[in-house]
């Protein structure tokens, strides 16, 4: 559905986005991650047609964004980082204005407005001037204008930026809801945000795409955690002799059932399920009980820190 090829954007001597390619074919919530200055906003502005790429192409739903942008933008909703919201306008008037800008005809407008207002729970704020709303409600107004016309692609630039924990929880619930009918690309530099919402992450560092991975795979590394009974003489030795196992570290008992924990690092490229089968057989053959065998989960914050350099974009 979304096909991005060799996309770059320069601002003078600064390369904000550098030769980025990816495709998104399924309906999902995709996190666009990176430190400040990594190129997220530039990428989102290009995806939503607000900024021309210096090089590369974007196809959305089969349409080329360059040349067919009107068709693409009809099916797209965009929440910019800093929404140009007019403080003196009433919420209702602003949303009506946004619907006009989106080309939603008079006939369909009441239904479109009602849907966006219901989804964002703005019903009792419609007659408030936008400037008097709290940050959370202003953000909801931004989301409401983005979802007018039921777009199949939603691009949300830091949707929870500046929200308090309760507002953040509400916004996340809303995004999950919206994702039932649309692909959502959201940018953030907070890994917990990704953890709470996304199925897949694209990580930018200095404008380059340094990772494109599903979260389940990202969380797992090439290490298994084993908890087994201590009734075998040299279980660690037997495990260490398995061809898939690189190292075995005994981590001590768990204090509960007399079991012993082991961390088993596998050789690079090892098929983890095959290794797990062999490890389980080895434990049972040695006469010990097998209590638990599971992949070790990685700390996502650390993964992001390892992948990204904090400097931001390159200056040539
Ligand atoms: N209009 C502009 N003119 C010149 N340089 C710009 C412009 N907009 C962005 N940049 C530069 O491009 C790089 C990428 O910026 P961008 O705003 O896309 O990053 P970001 O990942 O969204 O950062 P943040 O998390 O701080 O919003 C930065 O080095 C920024 O200074």
């Amino acid at each position: 559905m979304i096909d991005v090829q060799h996309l770059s954007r320069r601002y003078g001597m600064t390369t904000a986005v550098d030769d980025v390619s990816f495709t998104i074919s399924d309906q999902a919530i995709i996190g666009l991650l990176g430190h400040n200055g990594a190129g997220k906003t530039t990428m989102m502005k290009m995806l939503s047609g607000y900024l021309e790429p210096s090089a590369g192409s974007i196809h959305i739903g089969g349409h080329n964004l360059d040349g067919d942008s009107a068709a693409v933008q009809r099916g797209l909703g965009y929440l910019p980082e800093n929404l140009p919201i007019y403080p003196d306008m009433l919420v209702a008037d602003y949303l009506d204005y946004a619907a006009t800008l989106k080309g939603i005809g008079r006939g369909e407008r009441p239904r479109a407005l009602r849907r966006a207002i219901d989804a964002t729970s703005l019903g009792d704020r419609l007659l408030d001037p936008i400037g008097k709303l709290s940050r959370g409600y202003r953000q909801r107004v931004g989301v409401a204008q983005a979802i007018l016309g039921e777009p199949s692609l939603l691009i949300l630039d830091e949707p929870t930026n500046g929200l308090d924990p309760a507002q953040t929880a509400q916004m996340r619930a809303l995004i999950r809801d919206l994702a039932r009918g649309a692909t959502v690309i959201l940018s953030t530099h907070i890994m917990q945000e990704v953890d709470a919402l996304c199925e897949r992450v694209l990580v930018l560092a200095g404008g380059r795409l340094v990772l494109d991975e599903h979260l389940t795979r990202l969380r797992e590394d090439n290490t298994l955690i084993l908890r087994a009974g201590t009734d075998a003489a040299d279980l660690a030795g037997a495990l260490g002799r398995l061809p898939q196992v690189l190292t075995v570290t005994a981590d001590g008992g768990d204090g509960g059932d007399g079991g012993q924990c082991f961390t088993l690092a596998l050789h690079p490229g090892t098929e983890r399920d095959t290794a797990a089968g062999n490890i389980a057989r080895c434990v049972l053959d040695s006469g010990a009980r097998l209590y638990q065998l599971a992949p070790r989960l990685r700390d996502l914050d650390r993964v992001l820190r390892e992948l990204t350099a904090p400097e931001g974009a390159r200056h040539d």
Side-chain angles (χ1 to χ4, degrees):
M1 181 197 172
I2 301 161
D3 182 25
V4 170
Q5 292 299 325
H6 303 293
L7 199 65
S8 295
R9 171 71 201 200
R10 298 173 67 88
Y11 297 104
M13 299 299 279
T14 303
T15 303
V17 170
D18 189 3
D19 196 20
V20 169
S21 300
F22 61 87
T23 57
I24 300 171
S25 51
D26 42 354
Q27 228 171 52
I29 307 182
I30 315 279
L32 183 62
L33 263 121
H35 292 293
N36 292 128
K40 304 179 297 293
T41 294
T42 303
M43 173 63 88
M44 298 202 129
K45 281 184 179 165
M46 289 194 283
L47 285 174
S48 54
Y50 281 83
L51 187 68
E52 290 226 348
S54 306
S57 66
I58 303 171
H59 285 81
I60 299 178
H63 298 282
N64 189 342
L65 194 52
D66 177 26
D68 211 355
S69 64
V72 174
Q73 274 172 341
R74 267 197 296 277
L76 183 148
Y78 177 41
L79 172 71
E81 193 178 20
N82 300 305
L83 190 66
I85 276 185
Y86 311 95
D88 296 332
M89 250 179 150
L90 305 185
V91 172
D93 291 342
Y94 170 73
L95 291 178
D96 190 57
Y97 170 64
T100 313
L101 289 184
K102 283 204 164 184
I104 298 172
R106 283 207 167 278
E108 0 159 17
R109 214 174 296 167
R111 201 189 73 80
L113 285 167
R114 200 170 309 124
R115 181 187 167 273
I117 289 161
D118 284 350
T120 49
S121 303
L122 277 170
D124 49 3
R125 301 297 165 121
L126 292 176
L127 300 180
D128 288 0
I130 292 172
K132 295 220 166 125
L133 295 177
S134 68
R135 164 100 200 160
Y137 270 100
R138 273 206 301 278
Q139 199 75 333
R140 285 196 211 184
V141 174
V143 174
Q145 66 75 33
I147 63 176
L148 280 167
E150 299 185 43
S152 53
L153 171 61
L154 269 174
I155 297 176
L156 310 176
D157 199 347
E158 309 225 12
T160 60
N161 194 15
L163 302 189
D164 68 28
Q167 292 168 334
T168 298
Q170 283 170 0
M171 183 57 75
R172 286 178 183 168
L174 173 58
I175 291 169
R176 267 186 224 108
D177 229 36
L178 295 170
R180 280 196 255 269
T183 297
V184 178
I185 303 179
L186 66 89
S187 82
T188 178
H189 51 269
I190 308 163
M191 203 66 196
Q192 293 94 308
E193 178 101 336
V194 171
D195 206 11
L197 284 174
C198 301
E199 285 119 82
R200 177 177 159 195
V201 284
L202 304 170
V203 180
L204 290 174
R208 293 216 169 97
L209 185 65
V210 291
L211 184 82
D212 175 357
E213 189 57 277
H214 283 84
L215 224 57
T216 43
R217 292 186 68 93
L218 196 61
R219 279 201 194 93
E220 297 167 356
D221 67 8
N222 210 25
T223 300
L224 291 165
I225 302 296
L226 166 71
R227 196 158 63 79
T230 49
D231 22 14
D234 182 21
L235 183 55
L239 290 166
R241 285 190 288 279
L242 290 172
Q244 293 92 354
V245 174
L246 183 64
T247 59
V248 180
T249 314
D251 300 324
D254 72 344
D257 49 19
Q260 163 90 39
C261 286
F262 298 94
T263 301
L264 297 135
L266 306 180
H267 280 289
T270 297
E271 171 57 45
R272 211 182 46 219
D273 289 346
T274 310
N278 290 345
I279 290 163
R281 196 171 313 117
C282 175
V283 173
L284 299 175
D285 286 352
S286 71
R289 287 180 200 202
L290 174 60
Y291 294 130
Q292 190 187 18
L293 181 58
R296 187 172 71 182
L297 297 184
R298 292 203 283 188
D299 170 3
L300 295 180
D301 260 331
R302 209 174 70 202
V303 174
L304 182 65
R305 273 200 308 275
E306 284 167 5
L307 276 167
T308 54
E311 304 88 51
R314 289 179 303 117
H315 300 269
D316 301 327

